[in-house]
Amino acid sequence: MPINPILNLSHFTIKDLTPDFYCNLFSDHLNQNHSKITVPHKHDFYLCVLFTAGYGTHQIDFNSYPIQPGSVFCLSPGQIHNWRFKGAVEGYIFFHSASFYEAQYTRKALTNFPFFLSNLNSSQINLTPKAIKRIVPLFKRLLESYQSNHVMKSHKICSLIDLIYIELYQEIVEKNLPTTPQSKAYGNTLHQLEQLIEQYYLTNKSPQFYADQLNITTKHLNRISKELINKTTSTLILERVILEAKRLLTHSRKNYSEIARYLGYDDYAYFSRLFKQKSGYSPSKFEKEVLKK
């Protein structure tokens, strides 16, 4: 099976005072790491990039997103992605470990930000011209802080990361989230469901399990999911399983039966039917199609 590399922070030039953080102009990052990042790969850190100029395509977990000025991409560990550009591009990129951020903000988790729950939310945010003027300076200050030797450098970097994530979160809220009290409550429940699925999808595929965790009925949980994103709880669970299957098919050395068992299916034939039902391909056909690209 094809093997995609897993990049970690040690693959990049890291300043001594901030070993769990990296920041650069995107053009410099591309020039320094072209061979690493233009082929499909995974990483074990959180990544955020803002494009200020240029065009291209960003392939993330088998979906294509257009790159344009104002495009922001936020990726979680484990996602498979690569870039394809049409000419020169400019922008900013940073990445960090979970511990770098969460040690500073002990009452926050990165998964509280919807753009880091990739199975249900787009990894792309398209900024308005007004938002670009507000957010680009934060990226610029972040790069300047990273390149400096100021006292409390790491604290300042974490503060700027948090400001950027809050600004991006507000962009999503203003564009997408409903405003009535009931729909806000539904949104909170759906967000909790996302987190639970991410935590338990390998071992628990029953909607009843997730409803019990949320102290509501399966009927009500389905109502919330259907109303907000027009998908049932079962569909959300299965979509997360199939996404992981696609990642394993293009990354791991496991055979098809081993992948099925890892995902909780002892009957490979049954898993293969589910995979084809959801993706349109059998596991072997999917693998071959990916290898063609």
Side-chain angles (χ1 to χ4, degrees):
M1 290 184 178
I3 299 297
N4 296 307
I6 300 178
L7 303 183
N8 57 59
L9 286 163
S10 67
H11 286 102
F12 304 90
T13 302
I14 305 298
K15 301 290 185 180
D16 292 340
L17 293 179
T18 51
D20 290 327
F21 177 78
Y22 168 91
C23 188
N24 210 341
L25 292 171
F26 192 85
S27 55
D28 290 345
H29 176 73
L30 181 61
N31 290 334
Q32 295 163 11
N33 304 284
H34 188 275
S35 62
K36 296 190 187 87
I37 66 175
T38 53
V39 297
H41 61 279
K42 288 185 176 185
H43 43 75
D44 66 356
F45 46 78
Y46 287 86
L47 177 152
C48 183
V49 59
L50 163 65
F51 288 98
T52 56
Y55 297 87
T57 302
H58 191 185
Q59 185 86 6
I60 308 173
D61 279 333
F62 319 102
N63 294 309
S64 293
Y65 301 89
I67 295 169
Q68 60 190 21
S71 293
V72 177
F73 296 94
C74 297
L75 276 74
S76 302
Q79 292 186 268
I80 295 176
H81 76 121
N82 64 289
W83 316 89
R84 292 182 181 177
F85 301 108
K86 299 176 182 177
V89 290
E90 297 291 345
Y92 298 89
I93 187 170
F94 69 85
F95 37 80
H96 58 84
S97 64
S99 60
F100 181 77
Y101 175 87
E102 292 176 357
Q104 180 72 17
Y105 297 101
T106 56
R107 296 187 178 182
K108 291 184 181 181
L110 287 161
T111 52
N112 287 335
F113 296 106
F115 39 79
F116 284 132
L117 282 173
S118 61
N119 53 310
L120 299 184
N121 296 284
S122 173
S123 296
Q124 182 181 30
I125 304 166
N126 292 313
L127 301 180
T128 63
K130 183 178 179 181
I132 291 173
K133 291 181 180 179
R134 189 173 67 252
I135 294 174
V136 167
L138 294 176
F139 279 83
K140 183 178 180 181
R141 288 174 59 193
L142 184 62
L143 179 59
E144 291 171 349
S145 297
Y146 176 64
Q147 295 173 336
S148 74
N149 290 309
H150 295 319
V151 176
M152 299 188 73
K153 173 179 173 177
S154 293
H155 292 278
K156 185 174 182 180
I157 286 172
C158 279
S159 295
L160 287 166
I161 291 172
D162 196 47
L163 282 173
I164 289 170
Y165 288 163
I166 290 170
E167 289 284 355
L168 296 178
Y169 175 75
Q170 289 177 338
E171 282 293 297
I172 293 173
V173 168
E174 290 177 2
K175 291 178 181 177
N176 301 321
L177 290 188
T179 56
T180 66
Q182 175 175 293
S183 57
K184 284 183 178 179
Y186 278 14
N188 289 334
T189 300
L190 182 62
H191 183 66
Q192 292 176 51
L193 175 61
E194 293 181 79
Q195 293 177 307
L196 287 168
I197 290 174
E198 190 66 25
Q199 185 176 358
Y200 294 111
Y201 73 93
L202 289 176
T203 55
N204 292 282
K205 298 175 176 60
S206 167
Q208 183 67 58
F209 170 82
Y210 296 96
D212 289 345
Q213 293 291 310
L214 293 166
N215 294 314
I216 58 178
T217 65
T218 54
K219 183 177 180 179
H220 186 48
L221 185 57
N222 270 326
R223 183 185 301 116
I224 291 171
S225 183
K226 287 284 287 183
E227 181 169 320
L228 293 185
I229 55 176
N230 197 31
K231 295 179 180 180
T232 65
T233 308
S234 294
T235 297
L236 297 180
I237 298 165
L238 182 57
E239 284 182 347
R240 183 62 185 92
V241 171
I242 298 303
L243 172 58
E244 196 63 23
K246 290 178 177 179
R247 290 176 177 174
L248 291 168
L249 286 166
T250 58
H251 176 74
S252 79
R253 297 186 185 277
K254 298 178 185 291
N255 62 40
Y256 302 135
S257 294
E258 289 172 334
I259 288 174
R261 285 195 296 273
Y262 174 79
L263 294 172
Y265 299 91
D266 292 329
D267 184 347
Y268 171 71
Y270 174 69
F271 169 74
S272 182
R273 288 195 299 271
L274 280 179
F275 187 91
K276 186 172 184 179
Q277 174 189 332
K278 201 65 187 173
S279 69
Y281 299 98
S282 67
S284 59
K285 180 67 173 177
F286 175 81
E287 183 185 350
K288 290 174 183 177
E289 288 296 317
V290 170
L291 281 173
K292 288 180 184 177
K293 299 179 179 180

mmCIF file of all heavy atoms in Angstrom, residues 46 122 264 281:
data_model
loop_
_atom_site.group_PDB
_atom_site.id
_atom_site.type_symbol
_atom_site.label_atom_id
_atom_site.label_comp_id
_atom_site.label_asym_id
_atom_site.label_seq_id
_atom_site.Cartn_x
_atom_site.Cartn_y
_atom_site.Cartn_z
ATOM 1 N N TYR A 46 -0.653 20.737 15.005
ATOM 2 C CA TYR A 46 -1.729 21.584 14.495
ATOM 3 C C TYR A 46 -1.125 22.644 13.576
ATOM 4 O O TYR A 46 -0.079 23.211 13.877
ATOM 5 C CB TYR A 46 -2.482 22.256 15.645
ATOM 6 C CG TYR A 46 -3.355 21.291 16.404
ATOM 7 C CD1 TYR A 46 -2.833 20.524 17.448
ATOM 8 C CD2 TYR A 46 -4.694 21.120 16.075
ATOM 9 C CE1 TYR A 46 -3.631 19.625 18.142
ATOM 10 C CE2 TYR A 46 -5.499 20.218 16.761
ATOM 11 C CZ TYR A 46 -4.958 19.484 17.798
ATOM 12 O OH TYR A 46 -5.744 18.582 18.468
ATOM 13 N N SER A 122 -15.503 22.175 7.571
ATOM 14 C CA SER A 122 -14.510 22.445 6.546
ATOM 15 C C SER A 122 -13.216 22.924 7.194
ATOM 16 O O SER A 122 -13.223 23.660 8.182
ATOM 17 C CB SER A 122 -15.030 23.517 5.583
ATOM 18 O OG SER A 122 -14.021 23.906 4.688
ATOM 19 N N GLY A 264 -13.050 -1.810 13.751
ATOM 20 C CA GLY A 264 -14.120 -2.419 14.535
ATOM 21 C C GLY A 264 -15.007 -3.375 13.767
ATOM 22 O O GLY A 264 -16.098 -3.719 14.246
ATOM 23 N N TYR A 281 -16.507 3.314 -4.108
ATOM 24 C CA TYR A 281 -15.435 2.413 -4.512
ATOM 25 C C TYR A 281 -15.276 1.298 -3.489
ATOM 26 O O TYR A 281 -15.547 1.494 -2.304
ATOM 27 C CB TYR A 281 -14.093 3.132 -4.613
ATOM 28 C CG TYR A 281 -14.022 4.256 -5.614
ATOM 29 C CD1 TYR A 281 -14.173 5.585 -5.208
ATOM 30 C CD2 TYR A 281 -13.771 3.992 -6.954
ATOM 31 C CE1 TYR A 281 -14.093 6.617 -6.125
ATOM 32 C CE2 TYR A 281 -13.679 5.024 -7.880
ATOM 33 C CZ TYR A 281 -13.845 6.342 -7.455
ATOM 34 O OH TYR A 281 -13.760 7.366 -8.362
#
